[in-house]
Amino acid sequence: MNIEEEFDLIVIGSGPGGQKTAIQATNAGLKVALIDRERKVGGTCVHHGTIPSKTLREAALTITTLRRNPDVFDFKLKDDMEVSTLMKRLDSVLGSYTDFISEYLTSQGISYFHGRASISDANTVSLTTLKGSSSFLSAKYIVIATGSKPRTPSDIEVDHENILDSDSILSMIYLPRSLTVVGGGVIASEYASIFSLLGVKVTMFDRTSRPLIFMEPECTEKFLNHFTKNGGEYIGEAKYESIKWDSVSQVITKLDNGTVISSDKMLVAQGRIANTQGLGLEDLGIELGRNGAIPVDDNYQTSIEGLYAVGDVIGPPSLASVSMEQGRRAICHALGTDPGSKFELVPNGIYAVPELSSVGISEDQAREKYGNDIIIGRASFDEVARGQIAGFKDGLLKMIADSKTLKILGVHVVAEGATDLIHVGEMAILNNNDVRVFLENVMNFPTLGEAYRIAALNIITKHAERLARKPESRIQNLIEQAELN
Ligand SMILES: Cc1cc2nc3c(=O)[nH]c(=O)nc-3n(C[C@H](O)[C@H](O)[C@H](O)COP(=O)(O)OP(=O)(O)OC[C@H]3O[C@@H](n4cnc5c(N)ncnc54)[C@H](O)[C@@H]3O)c2cc1C
């Protein structure tokens, strides 16, 4: 085996996980190689996921603003609207973003290789270029950050033209008149709500009774209301019996409850599987887990010393934000440096319309842990001046606190801006704050952040009422809790 070049670290995959790993390592003085089978760096996050979907979302929101103001804008979307026109900004966003990352990686001294990588042994990576030539690179450490791809059930024929997945949905030429979405998870809910805002008739179905089943029911209810108000339909507790393209113009979906849905296009969003094929992991004795995920320990090290895996390739939560942090931690472990305390809080951020976000525990989890010793505070966005101004009146911020200490246990938000707003709650939980922190300190006005103050006040009021009542019996206590929550 001819080793072409020796490095301290080889990173396979240039998505957020791989990038952060490489940067962390060069900052520590390591000689780093970064390999990707795509010519451009960025991974799913930049080319198929986070950034493209959010660009379309921005277009949908702009169109909504125009529609909301008929006195100012005489606005109508063209009948044969091209998706690429809606995403005109994408090329420039992607171009400048990938150029910036590439230049940054080069300025850090990271060597970029374009080709498909597989692992020959714990210290050697084989690199095959598009033209088929192979070479070998060696390193003390290897980090796999190869991400994931859409999972397609074997009985759905995804042709990427009529039946699409999240990698191909934005390659549609025209905005369809109707779209069926299979799944009720994050990607399904994001695209379903974005397309329905664009005037597409969207039908989403899933086995679960409501979409985003892992989120607080009060928040998903608000999301669902908004989705239905915009013409979307959610069919819960339904499985498909068959999904077929009729070879003319429609995708025909038969559900087990007898419903038949006919639509121009379909999006299959049935989860994701790890990109582990062809990496040679089986030959190294690494047994893969659910959906092909690579098993790792708390330091993101596989069963082989010096071989790490981070990001989507190790499974949920499959977020760009988490992938980056895992990459940083893997390098800290390899070099024996302190990564800081273990992160326990990972905020959920869902860029549906409206956004949903949460941090900490849910009401159900809080009840399981603390029984009735919790108080729930709510702020409806029609009470928040900025919510009124911006027209986000149906938002909700729900805060859960320990009724003895008033410490914040969880925050759940549904509203435009929820994914940013959640960080205030995240910091309060991380700092072990109680709800009074929102009453005894000053925040800007008018802001959506005022919702924290309103929810905290709601908790303080309920707490005072609870103390004043001094329940005498357990039953009375239970009745009171039910009234107060
Ligand atoms: C529609 C959609 C919306 C999303 N929205 C969000 C969001 O709003 N917020 C958020 O945090 N996350 C979001 N995500 C998830 C986010 O994109 C992923 O969590 C993130 O990209 C994972 O980063 P990664 O570095 O692990 O892998 P990836 O970004 O998938 O990168 C992996 C890279 O490895 C390369 N590769 C694979 N195999 C090989 C090989 N054998 N040799 C060489 N290169 C290889 C691939 O070409 C790819 O470039 C979204 C995902 C999708 C699909």
Side-chain angles (χ1 to χ4, degrees):
M1 185 188 298
N2 254 351
I3 302 292
E4 192 163 282
E5 202 170 343
E6 287 182 20
F7 291 90
D8 298 313
L9 167 74
I10 298 170
V11 183
I12 310 175
S14 71
Q19 280 169 41
K20 182 70 189 179
T21 308
I23 292 165
Q24 181 74 13
T26 44
N27 286 347
L30 301 192
K31 183 181 175 197
V32 180
L34 178 63
I35 304 175
D36 204 295
R37 60 188 180 192
E38 300 295 332
R39 194 173 295 282
K40 295 240 174 195
V41 296
T44 300
C45 174
V46 172
H47 301 288
H48 301 293
T50 318
I51 294 181
S53 59
K54 265 92 257 182
T55 307
L56 182 67
R57 186 180 191 278
E58 276 307 309
L61 290 180
T62 308
I63 288 166
T64 311
T65 309
L66 296 176
R67 279 196 183 124
R68 239 197 245 143
N69 295 287
D71 301 345
V72 185
F73 307 104
D74 183 12
F75 180 82
K76 188 178 172 297
L77 212 57
K78 282 199 294 191
D79 285 342
D80 53 350
M81 188 74 211
E82 290 191 12
V83 175
S84 59
T85 311
L86 286 169
M87 299 181 59
K88 244 187 182 135
R89 283 184 53 243
L90 182 64
D91 281 347
S92 65
V93 171
L94 290 191
S96 47
Y97 193 73
T98 48
D99 286 351
F100 164 76
I101 303 171
S102 296
E103 277 163 29
Y104 184 70
L105 294 173
T106 312
S107 73
Q108 295 292 299
I110 295 165
S111 306
Y112 186 67
F113 293 86
H114 175 211
R116 184 178 287 270
S118 69
I119 302 167
S120 309
D121 63 46
N123 302 104
T124 316
V125 170
S126 139
L127 176 69
T128 309
T129 64
L130 273 184
K131 289 186 178 153
S133 65
S134 288
S135 55
F136 293 93
L137 307 175
S138 75
K140 183 168 183 197
Y141 309 109
I142 298 172
V143 176
I144 306 167
T146 50
S148 62
K149 62 179 178 187
R151 189 181 74 82
T152 310
S154 55
D155 53 355
I156 307 182
E157 206 174 309
V158 175
D159 58 10
H160 301 293
E161 200 184 329
N162 307 294
I163 304 181
L164 304 113
D165 62 20
S166 60
D167 276 2
S168 51
I169 184 82
L170 297 180
S171 63
M172 281 187 303
I173 298 178
Y174 295 108
L175 197 62
R177 277 163 304 151
S178 52
L179 175 76
T180 307
V181 178
V182 189
V186 176
I187 292 173
S189 301
E190 287 189 3
Y191 276 127
S193 58
I194 293 170
F195 279 109
S196 87
L197 212 60
L198 288 167
V200 177
K201 182 180 174 346
V202 180
T203 311
M204 170 166 49
F205 71 87
D206 195 19
R207 292 161 189 244
T208 54
S209 55
R210 58 187 171 91
L212 302 167
I213 194 79
F214 54 94
M215 297 296 282
E216 203 64 15
E218 283 172 73
C219 294
T220 47
E221 197 186 314
K222 295 252 175 210
F223 162 69
L224 212 44
N225 282 345
H226 196 274
F227 178 56
T228 347
K229 251 198 263 167
N230 279 300
E233 184 186 3
Y234 179 75
I235 305 176
E237 293 170 345
K239 286 188 227 154
Y240 61 87
E241 273 175 359
S242 66
I243 291 174
K244 289 267 175 304
W245 159 239
D246 70 0
S247 304
V248 184
S249 65
Q250 295 292 290
V251 180
I252 311 293
T253 307
K254 291 191 180 144
L255 301 183
D256 59 353
N257 61 12
T259 309
V260 178
I261 311 162
S262 173
S263 62
D264 291 356
K265 303 278 178 193
M266 162 170 281
L267 166 65
V268 181
Q270 293 272 279
R272 299 185 62 87
I273 54 169
N275 279 330
T276 41
Q277 309 77 356
L279 279 177
L281 298 177
E282 300 80 3
D283 297 341
L284 295 172
I286 294 179
E287 272 182 38
L288 301 176
R290 194 162 179 256
N291 289 328
I294 302 177
V296 290
D297 65 16
D298 285 353
N299 303 305
Y300 307 102
Q301 189 164 229
T302 65
S303 51
I304 296 174
E305 202 182 328
L307 178 63
Y308 294 80
V310 301
D312 280 17
V313 79
I314 65 169
S318 302
L319 291 168
S321 49
V322 174
S323 307
M324 293 185 234
E325 178 56 9
Q326 290 172 341
R328 187 185 73 81
R329 284 174 182 264
I331 294 304
C332 287
H333 181 260
L335 300 181
T337 52
D338 179 13
S341 54
K342 197 169 162 15
F343 64 90
E344 272 153 29
L345 285 182
V346 175
N348 269 315
I350 298 158
Y351 295 84
V353 185
E355 291 179 5
L356 297 102
S357 200
S358 70
V359 73
I361 57 178
S362 65
E363 180 176 344
D364 280 353
Q365 288 166 333
R367 290 208 183 284
E368 213 169 278
K369 196 164 171 195
Y370 298 89
N372 278 325
D373 289 336
I374 59 166
I375 305 184
I376 313 284
R378 292 180 182 81
S380 163
F381 277 62
D382 54 10
E383 301 170 67
V384 180
R386 185 65 177 265
Q388 292 273 4
I389 297 165
F392 306 152
K393 287 191 291 192
D394 19 305
L396 172 78
L397 185 147
K398 173 171 173 177
M399 196 189 286
I400 301 161
D402 178 333
S403 64
K404 294 198 174 111
T405 59
L406 292 184
K407 292 255 160 68
I408 304 159
L409 306 172
V411 180
H412 307 263
V413 189
V414 54
E416 269 319 297
T419 55
D420 262 325
L421 207 52
I422 205 68
H423 297 136
V424 176
E426 182 181 358
M427 292 307 135
I429 298 177
L430 284 173
N431 285 316
N432 231 356
N433 288 134
D434 72 53
V435 300
R436 281 173 288 231
V437 75
F438 295 117
L439 306 178
E440 293 161 2
N441 290 288
V442 179
M443 288 168 91
N444 282 326
F445 179 88
T447 56
L448 296 182
E450 196 197 348
Y452 277 97
R453 195 181 183 81
I454 296 171
L457 257 173
N458 191 214
I459 288 174
I460 296 286
T461 310
K462 287 177 178 178
H463 183 243
E465 282 172 10
R466 194 177 280 201
L467 290 180
R469 283 197 197 178
K470 289 207 181 103
E472 274 146 27
S473 71
R474 198 176 146 267
I475 292 174
Q476 192 178 344
N477 191 15
L478 288 174
I479 295 168
E480 188 181 57
Q481 298 284 343
E483 280 168 7
L484 289 177
N485 290 325

